[in-house]
Amino acid sequence: MKKKIVKIVAVCAILILVTSAVSRSAPVRIPIPKITIGVDEAKRPSDVSLALEILALLSIITLAPAIIMMVTSFIRILIVFSFISRALATQQMPPMQILTALSLFLTFFIMSPALNEMNEKALQPYLARQISADQFYERGIQPIRQFMFKQTREKDISLFIHLGKQPRPKNRDDVPTYVLIPSFILSELNTAFKIGILIFIPFIIIDLVVASTLMSMGMIMLPPVMISLPLKIVLFVLVDGWHLITYSMVRSFH
């Protein structure tokens, strides 16, 4: 029962992940399912099991977008952009909605090779009824696993292997996906915070210089942020900050 639910969740996540890849490929007729709702008495144990699977599936669908974001580059990008906004101290400029949208589109850009591979090796054969649902899951999850392995530290994988009391894996294929995902998230958080520290350093220096200058001039009542904010924005514009940050973020995944 548990393995079936895990596979159903993975299949749903893979289907949503390859949506962008399908939109760029040749038009494909996707059959629209027919859904009927009824309440009947369960006469066999299999009926109860199927009902529970459907209930779990409907619950997971609401969490599918969050699950997808957790296995892609979205985490690192959004956190770094949030650090930039806080380092500039521009309050809500740019708005968080814009930063989230930019993070989402950059995620699709970075994940496009994996999405294309999933579309060609998993989704298209599955829609053509050339492979089963189990084969679709096995083929579709591999590009995502490869991406996560490239960004995940071994010490984070070892942590969850130890916490889960799992046997030591001999290779990557022996690492369960439910162990790889939290390890990947932990590694992404660590990497994003390291990048955030590097972003904060020049802006902190500006704040310190402005505060020291105002203090030495005896202008104690003048808030330092009124002087440092324009200087930080000017510095960010002069170095073409958004271009530099975007370039560095995309390159960090290769």
Side-chain angles (χ1 to χ4, degrees):
M1 178 65 181
K2 182 178 179 180
K3 292 183 177 178
K4 288 185 178 180
I5 294 177
V6 172
K7 287 189 176 181
I8 291 173
V9 173
V11 168
C12 291
I14 293 171
L15 284 172
I16 299 176
L17 271 173
V18 299
T19 301
S20 62
V22 174
S23 62
R24 294 191 298 271
S25 61
V28 177
R29 180 180 177 275
I30 300 178
I32 301 176
K34 178 181 178 182
I35 300 176
T36 59
I37 299 176
V39 179
D40 297 321
E41 181 181 359
K43 299 180 180 179
R44 300 186 303 273
S46 59
D47 294 338
V48 179
S49 177
L50 179 60
L52 293 176
E53 290 181 8
I54 294 175
L55 180 61
L57 175 61
L58 293 177
S59 302
I60 291 299
I61 287 177
T62 60
L63 301 176
I67 295 174
I68 292 173
M69 292 176 184
M70 294 297 103
V71 297
T72 61
S73 58
F74 183 81
I75 303 174
R76 184 188 305 182
I77 298 174
L78 184 60
I79 293 177
V80 170
F81 283 162
S82 299
F83 271 115
I84 295 174
S85 179
R86 292 182 179 276
L88 288 172
T90 54
Q91 302 301 328
Q92 297 298 323
M93 292 300 297
M96 197 59 193
Q97 293 85 346
I98 295 179
L99 295 180
T100 304
L102 179 58
S103 302
L104 187 60
F105 281 105
L106 284 178
T107 298
F108 281 115
F109 177 80
I110 294 170
M111 299 297 298
S112 58
L115 295 177
N116 289 332
E117 184 178 353
M118 293 166 62
N119 178 50
E120 295 172 2
K121 296 183 179 180
L123 181 61
Q124 297 303 328
Y126 179 73
L127 294 178
R129 299 183 179 180
Q130 297 175 355
I131 59 176
S132 63
D134 291 339
Q135 292 175 318
F136 169 70
Y137 165 75
E138 294 297 334
R139 294 186 183 184
I141 199 66
Q142 288 306 315
I144 297 298
R145 283 175 58 89
Q146 293 175 6
F147 172 81
M148 288 192 291
F149 270 119
K150 291 180 180 179
Q151 313 302 327
T152 305
R153 302 180 301 174
E154 292 185 1
K155 62 184 299 184
D156 292 328
I157 297 178
S158 300
L159 170 64
F160 286 98
I161 290 290
H162 174 70
L163 292 176
K165 298 181 180 179
Q166 299 288 328
R168 183 174 182 177
K170 298 179 180 179
N171 50 50
R172 291 183 173 182
D173 294 335
D174 294 337
V175 179
T177 303
Y178 67 85
V179 170
L180 178 58
I181 292 177
S183 305
F184 168 76
I185 295 174
L186 195 62
S187 297
E188 286 294 280
L189 290 174
N190 181 74
T191 304
F193 272 73
K194 287 181 179 178
I195 298 174
I197 292 173
L198 297 177
I199 292 173
F200 257 99
I201 290 175
F203 298 112
I204 291 176
I205 294 175
I206 293 177
D207 288 332
L208 291 175
V209 171
V210 170
S212 300
T213 303
L214 293 178
M215 184 71 68
S216 62
M217 296 175 61
M219 304 175 65
I220 303 177
M221 302 303 296
L222 180 63
V225 68
M226 294 184 62
I227 308 298
S228 63
L229 177 58
L231 293 178
K232 289 189 286 187
I233 294 177
V234 169
L235 174 64
F236 194 74
V237 172
L238 288 178
V239 299
D240 200 359
W242 291 113
H243 175 88
L244 183 61
I245 291 296
T246 301
Y247 174 81
S248 301
M249 288 298 304
V250 174
R251 292 289 298 174
S252 68
F253 288 97
H254 296 293

